[in-house]
Short mmCIF file of all heavy atoms in Angstrom, two decimals:
data_model
loop_
_atom_site.label_atom_id
_atom_site.label_comp_id
_atom_site.label_asym_id
_atom_site.label_seq_id
_atom_site.Cartn_x
_atom_site.Cartn_y
_atom_site.Cartn_z
N VAL A 1 2.29 2.37 -12.41
CA VAL A 1 3.07 2.65 -11.21
C VAL A 1 3.58 1.32 -10.68
O VAL A 1 2.88 0.30 -10.73
CB VAL A 1 2.23 3.38 -10.16
CG1 VAL A 1 3.05 3.66 -8.90
CG2 VAL A 1 1.69 4.69 -10.72
N TYR A 2 4.79 1.33 -10.13
CA TYR A 2 5.42 0.11 -9.65
C TYR A 2 5.81 0.24 -8.19
O TYR A 2 6.03 1.34 -7.68
CB TYR A 2 6.68 -0.21 -10.46
CG TYR A 2 6.46 -0.28 -11.94
CD1 TYR A 2 6.68 0.83 -12.76
CD2 TYR A 2 6.03 -1.46 -12.54
CE1 TYR A 2 6.48 0.76 -14.13
CE2 TYR A 2 5.82 -1.54 -13.91
CZ TYR A 2 6.05 -0.43 -14.70
OH TYR A 2 5.84 -0.50 -16.05
N LEU A 3 5.92 -0.90 -7.54
CA LEU A 3 6.48 -0.97 -6.20
C LEU A 3 7.46 -2.14 -6.17
O LEU A 3 7.04 -3.30 -6.20
CB LEU A 3 5.41 -1.14 -5.13
CG LEU A 3 5.92 -1.12 -3.69
CD1 LEU A 3 6.42 0.28 -3.33
CD2 LEU A 3 4.83 -1.56 -2.72
N GLN A 4 8.73 -1.82 -6.15
CA GLN A 4 9.76 -2.84 -6.02
C GLN A 4 10.00 -3.11 -4.55
O GLN A 4 10.33 -2.19 -3.79
CB GLN A 4 11.06 -2.37 -6.69
CG GLN A 4 12.22 -3.36 -6.57
CD GLN A 4 11.97 -4.63 -7.34
OE1 GLN A 4 11.54 -4.59 -8.49
NE2 GLN A 4 12.23 -5.77 -6.71
N MET A 5 9.83 -4.34 -4.14
CA MET A 5 9.94 -4.73 -2.75
C MET A 5 11.09 -5.71 -2.59
O MET A 5 11.07 -6.81 -3.15
CB MET A 5 8.64 -5.36 -2.25
CG MET A 5 7.42 -4.47 -2.46
SD MET A 5 5.91 -5.18 -1.74
CE MET A 5 5.72 -6.63 -2.79
N ASN A 6 12.10 -5.30 -1.85
CA ASN A 6 13.27 -6.13 -1.60
C ASN A 6 13.36 -6.44 -0.11
O ASN A 6 12.75 -5.78 0.72
CB ASN A 6 14.54 -5.41 -2.05
CG ASN A 6 14.57 -5.12 -3.53
OD1 ASN A 6 14.05 -5.90 -4.34
ND2 ASN A 6 15.19 -4.01 -3.92
N SER A 7 14.17 -7.44 0.21
CA SER A 7 14.38 -7.85 1.60
C SER A 7 13.07 -8.02 2.34
O SER A 7 12.89 -7.52 3.45
CB SER A 7 15.27 -6.82 2.31
OG SER A 7 16.52 -6.68 1.66
N LEU A 8 12.17 -8.73 1.73
CA LEU A 8 10.84 -8.89 2.30
C LEU A 8 10.87 -9.67 3.61
O LEU A 8 11.67 -10.58 3.78
CB LEU A 8 9.92 -9.58 1.30
CG LEU A 8 9.42 -8.67 0.17
CD1 LEU A 8 8.88 -9.49 -0.98
CD2 LEU A 8 8.36 -7.71 0.69
N ARG A 9 9.98 -9.28 4.49
CA ARG A 9 9.85 -9.88 5.81
C ARG A 9 8.45 -10.44 5.99
O ARG A 9 7.52 -9.97 5.35
CB ARG A 9 10.12 -8.83 6.89
CG ARG A 9 11.44 -8.10 6.76
CD ARG A 9 11.46 -6.86 7.63
NE ARG A 9 12.71 -6.12 7.51
CZ ARG A 9 12.90 -4.92 8.01
NH1 ARG A 9 11.93 -4.30 8.68
NH2 ARG A 9 14.09 -4.32 7.85
N PRO A 10 8.27 -11.42 6.87
CA PRO A 10 6.92 -11.94 7.10
C PRO A 10 5.92 -10.85 7.48
O PRO A 10 4.74 -10.95 7.11
CB PRO A 10 7.13 -12.94 8.24
CG PRO A 10 8.52 -13.41 8.05
CD PRO A 10 9.29 -12.20 7.58
N GLU A 11 6.35 -9.84 8.19
CA GLU A 11 5.45 -8.77 8.58
C GLU A 11 5.02 -7.89 7.41
O GLU A 11 4.14 -7.03 7.57
CB GLU A 11 6.07 -7.90 9.68
CG GLU A 11 7.45 -7.38 9.36
CD GLU A 11 8.56 -8.24 9.96
OE1 GLU A 11 8.43 -9.48 9.93
OE2 GLU A 11 9.55 -7.67 10.46
N ASP A 12 5.61 -8.08 6.24
CA ASP A 12 5.16 -7.39 5.04
C ASP A 12 3.94 -8.06 4.42
O ASP A 12 3.37 -7.52 3.46
CB ASP A 12 6.27 -7.33 3.99
CG ASP A 12 7.45 -6.47 4.44
OD1 ASP A 12 7.21 -5.40 5.03
OD2 ASP A 12 8.60 -6.87 4.17
N THR A 13 3.56 -9.21 4.92
CA THR A 13 2.41 -9.93 4.39
C THR A 13 1.16 -9.08 4.53
O THR A 13 0.81 -8.63 5.62
CB THR A 13 2.23 -11.26 5.13
OG1 THR A 13 3.35 -12.10 4.86
CG2 THR A 13 0.96 -11.97 4.67
N ALA A 14 0.48 -8.86 3.42
CA ALA A 14 -0.70 -8.01 3.40
C ALA A 14 -1.28 -8.00 1.99
O ALA A 14 -0.66 -8.48 1.05
CB ALA A 14 -0.35 -6.57 3.82
N VAL A 15 -2.47 -7.44 1.88
CA VAL A 15 -3.01 -7.08 0.58
C VAL A 15 -2.52 -5.68 0.26
O VAL A 15 -2.69 -4.76 1.06
CB VAL A 15 -4.55 -7.12 0.56
CG1 VAL A 15 -5.08 -6.67 -0.79
CG2 VAL A 15 -5.04 -8.54 0.87
N TYR A 16 -1.91 -5.53 -0.89
CA TYR A 16 -1.35 -4.26 -1.30
C TYR A 16 -2.28 -3.59 -2.31
O TYR A 16 -2.69 -4.20 -3.30
CB TYR A 16 0.04 -4.45 -1.91
CG TYR A 16 1.10 -4.69 -0.86
CD1 TYR A 16 1.14 -5.89 -0.16
CD2 TYR A 16 2.03 -3.71 -0.55
CE1 TYR A 16 2.09 -6.10 0.82
CE2 TYR A 16 2.99 -3.91 0.41
CZ TYR A 16 3.02 -5.11 1.11
OH TYR A 16 3.97 -5.32 2.07
N TYR A 17 -2.58 -2.33 -2.05
CA TYR A 17 -3.51 -1.56 -2.87
C TYR A 17 -2.82 -0.40 -3.54
O TYR A 17 -2.07 0.34 -2.89
CB TYR A 17 -4.66 -1.02 -2.01
CG TYR A 17 -5.53 -2.07 -1.37
CD1 TYR A 17 -5.24 -2.55 -0.11
CD2 TYR A 17 -6.64 -2.56 -2.04
CE1 TYR A 17 -6.04 -3.51 0.48
CE2 TYR A 17 -7.44 -3.52 -1.46
CZ TYR A 17 -7.14 -3.99 -0.20
OH TYR A 17 -7.94 -4.94 0.39
N CYS A 18 -3.09 -0.22 -4.79
CA CYS A 18 -2.66 0.96 -5.52
C CYS A 18 -3.69 2.07 -5.30
O CYS A 18 -4.89 1.80 -5.20
CB CYS A 18 -2.54 0.64 -7.01
SG CYS A 18 -1.98 2.00 -8.05
N ALA A 19 -3.23 3.29 -5.22
CA ALA A 19 -4.11 4.42 -4.96
C ALA A 19 -3.74 5.60 -5.85
O ALA A 19 -2.56 5.84 -6.11
CB ALA A 19 -4.04 4.83 -3.49
N ALA A 20 -4.75 6.32 -6.28
CA ALA A 20 -4.56 7.52 -7.08
C ALA A 20 -5.04 8.75 -6.32
O ALA A 20 -5.98 8.67 -5.53
CB ALA A 20 -5.30 7.41 -8.41
N ASP A 21 -4.39 9.86 -6.59
CA ASP A 21 -4.72 11.12 -5.95
C ASP A 21 -4.49 11.03 -4.44
O ASP A 21 -5.35 11.38 -3.64
CB ASP A 21 -6.14 11.56 -6.26
CG ASP A 21 -6.37 13.03 -5.98
OD1 ASP A 21 -5.39 13.79 -5.90
OD2 ASP A 21 -7.55 13.43 -5.86
N VAL A 22 -3.32 10.57 -4.07
CA VAL A 22 -2.94 10.46 -2.67
C VAL A 22 -2.63 11.86 -2.13
O VAL A 22 -1.92 12.63 -2.76
CB VAL A 22 -1.73 9.55 -2.48
CG1 VAL A 22 -1.31 9.50 -1.02
CG2 VAL A 22 -2.05 8.15 -3.00
N LYS A 23 -3.16 12.14 -0.97
CA LYS A 23 -2.93 13.44 -0.35
C LYS A 23 -2.95 13.31 1.16
O LYS A 23 -3.43 12.33 1.72
CB LYS A 23 -3.98 14.44 -0.82
CG LYS A 23 -5.40 14.04 -0.52
CD LYS A 23 -6.39 15.01 -1.17
CE LYS A 23 -6.31 14.95 -2.68
NZ LYS A 23 -7.32 15.82 -3.34
N LEU A 24 -2.42 14.32 1.81
CA LEU A 24 -2.39 14.32 3.26
C LEU A 24 -3.74 14.78 3.78
O LEU A 24 -4.18 15.88 3.48
CB LEU A 24 -1.27 15.23 3.76
CG LEU A 24 -0.92 15.13 5.24
CD1 LEU A 24 -0.35 13.75 5.56
CD2 LEU A 24 0.08 16.21 5.62
N GLY A 25 -4.38 13.92 4.55
CA GLY A 25 -5.68 14.24 5.10
C GLY A 25 -5.61 15.16 6.29
O GLY A 25 -4.53 15.49 6.80
N ARG A 26 -6.76 15.58 6.73
CA ARG A 26 -6.83 16.51 7.85
C ARG A 26 -6.38 15.88 9.16
O ARG A 26 -6.05 16.59 10.10
CB ARG A 26 -8.25 17.05 7.99
CG ARG A 26 -8.73 17.81 6.76
CD ARG A 26 -10.14 18.30 6.92
NE ARG A 26 -10.23 19.36 7.91
CZ ARG A 26 -11.35 19.99 8.24
NH1 ARG A 26 -12.48 19.67 7.63
NH2 ARG A 26 -11.34 20.94 9.15
N ASP A 27 -6.36 14.55 9.22
CA ASP A 27 -5.87 13.84 10.39
C ASP A 27 -4.37 13.57 10.31
O ASP A 27 -3.84 12.78 11.10
CB ASP A 27 -6.63 12.52 10.58
CG ASP A 27 -6.48 11.59 9.40
OD1 ASP A 27 -5.89 11.99 8.38
OD2 ASP A 27 -6.95 10.44 9.49
N SER A 28 -3.70 14.19 9.36
CA SER A 28 -2.26 14.08 9.16
C SER A 28 -1.82 12.72 8.64
O SER A 28 -0.64 12.37 8.72
CB SER A 28 -1.50 14.42 10.44
OG SER A 28 -1.76 15.75 10.85
N LYS A 29 -2.74 11.94 8.10
CA LYS A 29 -2.43 10.67 7.46
C LYS A 29 -2.71 10.76 5.96
O LYS A 29 -3.60 11.47 5.53
CB LYS A 29 -3.26 9.55 8.07
CG LYS A 29 -2.97 9.26 9.53
CD LYS A 29 -3.80 8.09 10.02
CE LYS A 29 -3.48 7.76 11.46
NZ LYS A 29 -4.30 6.62 11.96
N PHE A 30 -1.93 10.01 5.20
CA PHE A 30 -2.16 9.98 3.77
C PHE A 30 -3.48 9.28 3.46
O PHE A 30 -3.80 8.25 4.05
CB PHE A 30 -1.01 9.29 3.05
CG PHE A 30 0.24 10.11 2.98
CD1 PHE A 30 1.39 9.72 3.66
CD2 PHE A 30 0.28 11.29 2.25
CE1 PHE A 30 2.55 10.49 3.60
CE2 PHE A 30 1.43 12.06 2.18
CZ PHE A 30 2.56 11.66 2.86
N GLU A 31 -4.23 9.87 2.52
CA GLU A 31 -5.53 9.34 2.14
C GLU A 31 -5.64 9.30 0.62
O GLU A 31 -4.85 9.91 -0.09
CB GLU A 31 -6.65 10.21 2.71
CG GLU A 31 -6.63 10.37 4.22
CD GLU A 31 -7.13 9.15 4.95
OE1 GLU A 31 -7.66 8.23 4.28
OE2 GLU A 31 -7.01 9.12 6.19
N SER A 32 -6.64 8.57 0.14
CA SER A 32 -6.88 8.50 -1.29
C SER A 32 -8.36 8.21 -1.54
O SER A 32 -9.02 7.55 -0.73
CB SER A 32 -6.02 7.41 -1.93
OG SER A 32 -6.27 7.34 -3.32
N ASP A 33 -8.85 8.68 -2.67
CA ASP A 33 -10.24 8.44 -3.06
C ASP A 33 -10.38 7.36 -4.13
O ASP A 33 -11.49 6.92 -4.42
CB ASP A 33 -10.89 9.72 -3.57
CG ASP A 33 -11.09 10.75 -2.48
OD1 ASP A 33 -11.30 10.36 -1.32
OD2 ASP A 33 -11.06 11.96 -2.80
N TYR A 34 -9.28 6.95 -4.73
CA TYR A 34 -9.32 5.98 -5.82
C TYR A 34 -8.42 4.80 -5.49
O TYR A 34 -7.23 4.97 -5.21
CB TYR A 34 -8.89 6.62 -7.14
CG TYR A 34 -9.71 7.82 -7.52
CD1 TYR A 34 -9.25 9.10 -7.28
CD2 TYR A 34 -10.97 7.67 -8.10
CE1 TYR A 34 -10.01 10.21 -7.61
CE2 TYR A 34 -11.73 8.77 -8.43
CZ TYR A 34 -11.24 10.04 -8.18
OH TYR A 34 -11.99 11.14 -8.51
N TRP A 35 -9.00 3.60 -5.55
CA TRP A 35 -8.31 2.39 -5.12
C TRP A 35 -8.43 1.27 -6.14
O TRP A 35 -9.45 1.15 -6.83
CB TRP A 35 -8.88 1.88 -3.80
CG TRP A 35 -8.81 2.86 -2.69
CD1 TRP A 35 -9.78 3.75 -2.33
CD2 TRP A 35 -7.72 3.05 -1.78
NE1 TRP A 35 -9.35 4.49 -1.25
CE2 TRP A 35 -8.10 4.08 -0.89
CE3 TRP A 35 -6.48 2.45 -1.63
CZ2 TRP A 35 -7.27 4.52 0.13
CZ3 TRP A 35 -5.65 2.89 -0.62
CH2 TRP A 35 -6.05 3.91 0.25
N GLY A 36 -7.40 0.45 -6.22
CA GLY A 36 -7.50 -0.79 -6.96
C GLY A 36 -8.11 -1.89 -6.11
O GLY A 36 -8.48 -1.67 -4.95
N GLN A 37 -8.21 -3.08 -6.68
CA GLN A 37 -8.80 -4.21 -5.97
C GLN A 37 -7.84 -4.87 -4.99
O GLN A 37 -8.28 -5.58 -4.08
CB GLN A 37 -9.30 -5.26 -6.97
CG GLN A 37 -10.46 -4.79 -7.83
CD GLN A 37 -11.71 -4.56 -7.01
OE1 GLN A 37 -12.09 -5.38 -6.17
NE2 GLN A 37 -12.37 -3.43 -7.24
N GLY A 38 -6.57 -4.64 -5.15
CA GLY A 38 -5.57 -5.19 -4.26
C GLY A 38 -4.94 -6.46 -4.81
O GLY A 38 -5.54 -7.18 -5.59
N THR A 39 -3.72 -6.72 -4.38
CA THR A 39 -3.01 -7.94 -4.73
C THR A 39 -2.33 -8.49 -3.48
O THR A 39 -1.74 -7.74 -2.71
CB THR A 39 -1.99 -7.68 -5.86
OG1 THR A 39 -1.39 -8.92 -6.27
CG2 THR A 39 -0.90 -6.71 -5.43
N GLN A 40 -2.46 -9.79 -3.28
CA GLN A 40 -1.96 -10.42 -2.06
C GLN A 40 -0.46 -10.65 -2.14
O GLN A 40 0.04 -11.21 -3.12
CB GLN A 40 -2.67 -11.75 -1.82
CG GLN A 40 -2.17 -12.52 -0.61
CD GLN A 40 -2.54 -11.87 0.70
OE1 GLN A 40 -3.70 -11.49 0.89
NE2 GLN A 40 -1.58 -11.74 1.60
N VAL A 41 0.23 -10.24 -1.09
CA VAL A 41 1.65 -10.53 -0.93
C VAL A 41 1.81 -11.33 0.35
O VAL A 41 1.39 -10.88 1.42
CB VAL A 41 2.49 -9.25 -0.85
CG1 VAL A 41 3.94 -9.57 -0.49
CG2 VAL A 41 2.44 -8.51 -2.18
N THR A 42 2.39 -12.51 0.24
CA THR A 42 2.62 -13.37 1.39
C THR A 42 4.10 -13.69 1.48
O THR A 42 4.68 -14.21 0.51
CB THR A 42 1.80 -14.66 1.29
OG1 THR A 42 0.41 -14.35 1.17
CG2 THR A 42 2.02 -15.52 2.52
N VAL A 43 4.69 -13.40 2.62
CA VAL A 43 6.11 -13.64 2.84
C VAL A 43 6.25 -14.73 3.89
O VAL A 43 5.80 -14.56 5.03
CB VAL A 43 6.84 -12.37 3.29
CG1 VAL A 43 8.33 -12.64 3.41
CG2 VAL A 43 6.58 -11.24 2.30
N SER A 44 6.85 -15.82 3.52
CA SER A 44 7.03 -16.94 4.43
C SER A 44 8.38 -16.85 5.11
O SER A 44 9.34 -16.30 4.57
CB SER A 44 6.90 -18.27 3.68
OG SER A 44 7.94 -18.42 2.74
N SER A 45 8.46 -17.44 6.30
CA SER A 45 9.71 -17.46 7.05
C SER A 45 10.47 -18.74 6.81
O SER A 45 11.65 -18.84 7.12
CB SER A 45 9.43 -17.26 8.54
OG SER A 45 8.59 -18.29 9.02
#
């Protein structure tokens, strides 16, 4: 799975996690039970 990120902004700085079996939780937010370790994305100004 890929995530192409264009026009990046400093506020996009975060650890990005891949998730499997994403579904809408009972609190109306997307949830997942399977996660990767994450990859750091840092956007400088």
Side-chain angles (χ1 to χ4, degrees):
V1 180
Y2 305 95
L3 184 68
Q4 178 67 46
M5 305 185 294
N6 298 326
S7 302
L8 283 163
R9 306 165 180 170
E11 52 264 41
D12 294 319
T13 296
V15 177
Y16 283 71
Y17 297 91
C18 182
D21 198 18
V22 177
K23 58 187 65 176
L24 192 64
R26 299 179 69 179
D27 60 353
S28 299
K29 295 182 178 180
F30 286 114
E31 303 284 351
S32 180
D33 291 330
Y34 303 100
W35 302 92
Q37 294 293 314
T39 185
Q40 177 70 47
V41 172
T42 302
V43 184
S44 65
S45 60

